[in-house]
Amino acid sequence: EENIYQALVLSVRDYFKKTNSTKAVLGLSGGIDSALVASIAVDALGAENVYGVALPSKYSSEHSISDAEDLAHRTGLNFRIIPIEPMVNEFVNNLGLTGLAEENVQARVRGTTLMGISNQEGHLVLATGNKSELAVGYSTMYGDAVGGFAPIKDCSKLMVYRLARYRNSLSVVIPQKVIDRPPSAELRPDQKDTDSLPPYEVLDAILELFIEADLSVDEIAARGYDRVVVGRILQMVKRNEYKRRQAPPGIRVSNRAFGRDWRYPITSGYNSY
């Protein structure tokens, strides 16, 4: 964890220096991913050069906003709150959106807001998505996937938790409630990541065996995983290659990262599962 965390900090600092960027902006959801990215950015650039923005919707819990504010206070970064519900309502009402389309509008309004701040104030947007989400497409294009750089795009969800605990071992900047709370995109009432995905202990293990070890469905299932679950996850990986092609650049810290290490077609006429 120490080596990976320091690599992430070094890479963010180096990327900003070589692109003549000085300030970063990111969405602070009160979740573990944005909390870790904010901590990395502060350690890399200095708190005065990091701008966190809470973008609550009607589905955002009170503790999400308070935890984001707590993180900002602990790290010393610049912080503001911009409610997105009025903007979301305009989209939803004018287009008559419901269900998943309505959920995605929330993410896209957040992305548009961050990019607007970037254009207006000259900050580089940091994307907060992790490798697990990137693998299975658990993100919204032009929404939470927007940004100029993605510090943790090669870190699995479980690694994100490990890195958060490591950073807190140096000084407690990430509220413990953020680490303990079940992850959620908060795009609908009582939403949890496990509504759509297996527990991350299962998901990350299967993804690592497929992406980094090149094992087949049968070989992964032979390790004790349900073959139906394995097949569904690998299908999700296949279907979402087009999203990964449009993701911001990031840092490689694993044996095999998405990008140059991962040569996979966007479409194919076969089904090996």
Side-chain angles (χ1 to χ4, degrees):
E1 291 85 356
E2 179 182 7
N3 286 341
I4 292 176
Y5 188 84
Q6 294 304 326
L8 298 176
V9 170
L10 174 63
S11 297
V12 169
R13 183 183 299 128
D14 197 49
Y15 187 85
F16 272 69
K17 179 180 179 181
K18 291 178 178 178
T19 57
N20 295 316
S21 303
T22 58
K23 299 182 186 297
V25 62
L26 73 155
L28 287 182
S29 66
I32 188 71
D33 297 315
S34 63
L36 178 62
V37 171
S39 302
I40 293 168
V42 166
D43 289 342
L45 308 172
E48 69 278 8
N49 294 314
V50 181
Y51 294 76
V53 186
L55 299 158
S57 74
K58 62 182 179 182
Y59 300 121
S60 299
S61 57
E62 286 296 327
H63 58 70
S64 294
I65 302 171
S66 62
D67 288 346
E69 196 165 14
D70 188 8
L71 173 79
H73 176 74
R74 291 168 185 259
T75 58
L77 59 77
N78 303 282
F79 181 70
R80 73 185 94 169
I81 300 174
I82 303 177
I84 65 168
E85 187 169 353
M87 294 179 279
V88 170
N89 288 341
E90 287 297 320
F91 272 101
V92 171
N93 294 334
N94 277 284
L95 298 176
L97 302 177
T98 60
L100 182 61
E102 180 184 358
E103 293 180 25
N104 286 341
V105 162
Q106 295 170 69
R108 291 190 175 113
V109 166
R110 290 184 172 117
T112 299
T113 302
L114 290 174
M115 291 307 300
I117 292 172
S118 172
N119 292 154
Q120 183 70 26
E121 302 177 13
H123 310 332
L124 186 132
V125 178
L126 294 178
T128 59
N130 60 65
K131 190 174 188 177
S132 305
E133 296 169 345
L134 197 61
V136 298
Y138 197 67
S139 62
T140 302
M141 291 177 66
Y142 324 119
D144 53 311
V146 303
F149 197 62
I152 61 171
K153 71 176 292 185
D154 196 34
C155 298
S156 69
K157 188 73 170 187
L158 293 183
M159 177 56 70
V160 168
Y161 281 102
R162 289 167 58 187
L163 292 174
R165 295 187 181 99
Y166 165 74
R167 180 59 184 84
N168 274 4
S169 73
L170 305 179
S171 61
V172 181
V173 294
I174 299 175
Q176 188 61 40
K177 291 183 294 182
V178 173
I179 298 175
D180 293 340
R181 188 167 62 249
S184 169
E186 290 195 329
L187 298 178
R188 62 176 182 266
D190 301 319
Q191 184 181 22
K192 300 289 186 294
D193 286 7
T194 48
D195 296 342
S196 307
L197 301 171
Y200 282 107
E201 290 78 8
V202 174
L203 177 65
D204 283 354
I206 293 173
L207 290 174
E208 183 175 356
L209 292 171
F210 179 53
I211 297 166
E212 299 189 35
D214 278 326
L215 298 189
S216 67
V217 172
D218 290 334
E219 289 171 326
I220 297 173
R223 301 287 183 96
Y225 298 98
D226 184 288
R227 194 185 190 286
V228 173
V229 173
V230 174
R232 182 170 70 89
I233 291 172
L234 268 56
Q235 285 281 28
M236 294 173 75
V237 175
K238 281 181 54 180
R239 285 199 305 267
N240 287 286
E241 181 65 22
Y242 76 101
K243 284 189 178 182
R244 290 188 289 274
R245 298 288 180 96
Q246 300 181 62
I251 305 156
R252 177 181 181 269
V253 293
S254 72
N255 291 327
R256 193 180 197 188
F258 292 122
R260 292 199 323 181
D261 297 340
W262 176 258
R263 308 305 299 167
Y264 213 83
I266 294 178
T267 61
S268 61
Y270 67 90
N271 186 343
S272 59
Y273 308 136

